[in-house]
Amino acid sequence: MTTPETERDEDAVRRYVESLGLVMSQIGMQRMSARVFAALMTTDSGQLTAAELAEQLSVSPAAISGAVRYLDQIGLVTKVREPGERRDHYRLYDDLWYATFLKRDRFLIMWRDAATDGIDALGADTPAGKRLAEMRDFLAFMLVEVNNLYDRWHELRKNRD
């Protein structure tokens, strides 16, 4: 039995992986990590071993190692081991976008709190303190709005499914 993945035009898939990787790198992701992310996004399973990624992207296993470490740090992939296997698989999170932005939430909180500390150190009435207050207020606003977006996203998915 053939799966939809085996019926694909592999040249078109390779070109798309490179295209998506390029877009991701243009918006700030490391180039190799962007290619690995694109490769994982284009598999039906959403997971591949380091060897499979290296072969698909024609790169060294060391390049894959650094890329997946970065992707794990930013919350896009996780490392899993299938029962009975000795090789690690790198898998996209099931609720990828929610998980990724939720992790960004923690960064926004840390950034906002750092701004607050700076205001205390610099003085709220100084030009630098006012800039930091603006940053703190913007980040606080973003945190509220992002949480509202999460709620609306879950409602939309619930109604769609």
Side-chain angles (χ1 to χ4, degrees), residues 5-15 56:
E5 195 163 44
T6 60
E7 297 172 9
R8 294 182 180 150
D9 177 345
E10 291 305 315
D11 286 334
V13 171
R14 273 191 292 280
R15 284 191 305 275
Q56 181 177 341

Short mmCIF file of all heavy atoms in Angstrom, two decimals, residues 5-15 56:
data_model
loop_
_atom_site.label_atom_id
_atom_site.label_comp_id
_atom_site.label_asym_id
_atom_site.label_seq_id
_atom_site.Cartn_x
_atom_site.Cartn_y
_atom_site.Cartn_z
N GLU A 5 2.70 10.20 1.14
CA GLU A 5 4.05 10.75 1.09
C GLU A 5 4.85 10.14 -0.05
O GLU A 5 5.65 10.81 -0.67
CB GLU A 5 4.76 10.50 2.43
CG GLU A 5 6.00 11.32 2.59
CD GLU A 5 6.45 11.38 4.03
OE1 GLU A 5 6.46 10.35 4.71
OE2 GLU A 5 6.78 12.50 4.46
N THR A 6 4.65 8.85 -0.37
CA THR A 6 5.42 8.22 -1.43
C THR A 6 4.94 8.64 -2.81
O THR A 6 5.62 8.42 -3.79
CB THR A 6 5.40 6.68 -1.31
OG1 THR A 6 4.05 6.23 -1.39
CG2 THR A 6 6.05 6.22 -0.03
N GLU A 7 3.77 9.23 -2.88
CA GLU A 7 3.22 9.66 -4.16
C GLU A 7 3.64 11.09 -4.52
O GLU A 7 3.29 11.59 -5.57
CB GLU A 7 1.69 9.57 -4.14
CG GLU A 7 1.19 8.15 -3.96
CD GLU A 7 -0.31 8.10 -3.74
OE1 GLU A 7 -0.97 9.14 -3.90
OE2 GLU A 7 -0.80 7.02 -3.41
N ARG A 8 4.39 11.73 -3.68
CA ARG A 8 4.78 13.11 -3.90
C ARG A 8 5.90 13.21 -4.92
O ARG A 8 6.70 12.30 -5.09
CB ARG A 8 5.25 13.73 -2.60
CG ARG A 8 4.14 13.85 -1.59
CD ARG A 8 4.64 14.50 -0.34
NE ARG A 8 3.53 14.59 0.60
CZ ARG A 8 3.66 14.57 1.90
NH1 ARG A 8 4.86 14.48 2.44
NH2 ARG A 8 2.63 14.65 2.68
N ASP A 9 5.98 14.35 -5.54
CA ASP A 9 7.09 14.68 -6.44
C ASP A 9 8.27 15.07 -5.55
O ASP A 9 8.29 16.17 -4.99
CB ASP A 9 6.67 15.83 -7.36
CG ASP A 9 7.78 16.30 -8.29
OD1 ASP A 9 8.96 15.95 -8.07
OD2 ASP A 9 7.45 17.05 -9.22
N GLU A 10 9.23 14.18 -5.38
CA GLU A 10 10.33 14.40 -4.45
C GLU A 10 11.18 15.62 -4.79
O GLU A 10 11.68 16.30 -3.90
CB GLU A 10 11.20 13.15 -4.32
CG GLU A 10 10.50 11.99 -3.63
CD GLU A 10 9.95 12.34 -2.25
OE1 GLU A 10 10.67 13.00 -1.45
OE2 GLU A 10 8.79 11.99 -1.96
N ASP A 11 11.32 15.92 -6.08
CA ASP A 11 12.06 17.13 -6.45
C ASP A 11 11.31 18.38 -6.00
O ASP A 11 11.92 19.33 -5.50
CB ASP A 11 12.30 17.19 -7.96
CG ASP A 11 13.38 16.21 -8.41
OD1 ASP A 11 14.26 15.87 -7.59
OD2 ASP A 11 13.34 15.80 -9.59
N ALA A 12 10.01 18.37 -6.17
CA ALA A 12 9.20 19.51 -5.72
C ALA A 12 9.28 19.64 -4.20
O ALA A 12 9.37 20.76 -3.68
CB ALA A 12 7.75 19.34 -6.16
N VAL A 13 9.26 18.52 -3.49
CA VAL A 13 9.36 18.56 -2.03
C VAL A 13 10.72 19.14 -1.61
O VAL A 13 10.79 20.00 -0.75
CB VAL A 13 9.15 17.16 -1.41
CG1 VAL A 13 9.46 17.17 0.08
CG2 VAL A 13 7.72 16.68 -1.65
N ARG A 14 11.81 18.67 -2.24
CA ARG A 14 13.14 19.19 -1.90
C ARG A 14 13.22 20.70 -2.16
O ARG A 14 13.78 21.44 -1.36
CB ARG A 14 14.21 18.46 -2.70
CG ARG A 14 14.69 17.18 -2.03
CD ARG A 14 15.93 16.62 -2.70
NE ARG A 14 15.69 16.12 -4.04
CZ ARG A 14 15.15 14.93 -4.30
NH1 ARG A 14 14.79 14.14 -3.33
NH2 ARG A 14 14.95 14.55 -5.54
N ARG A 15 12.66 21.13 -3.29
CA ARG A 15 12.68 22.57 -3.58
C ARG A 15 11.87 23.34 -2.53
O ARG A 15 12.28 24.41 -2.09
CB ARG A 15 12.14 22.84 -4.98
CG ARG A 15 13.12 22.50 -6.09
CD ARG A 15 12.67 23.02 -7.45
NE ARG A 15 11.34 22.57 -7.84
CZ ARG A 15 11.08 21.41 -8.44
NH1 ARG A 15 12.05 20.57 -8.71
NH2 ARG A 15 9.85 21.08 -8.76
N GLN A 56 18.61 13.51 3.92
CA GLN A 56 17.65 14.31 3.16
C GLN A 56 18.22 15.67 2.79
O GLN A 56 18.00 16.17 1.68
CB GLN A 56 16.35 14.48 3.94
CG GLN A 56 15.30 15.27 3.18
CD GLN A 56 13.99 15.36 3.94
OE1 GLN A 56 13.71 14.58 4.84
NE2 GLN A 56 13.18 16.34 3.58
#
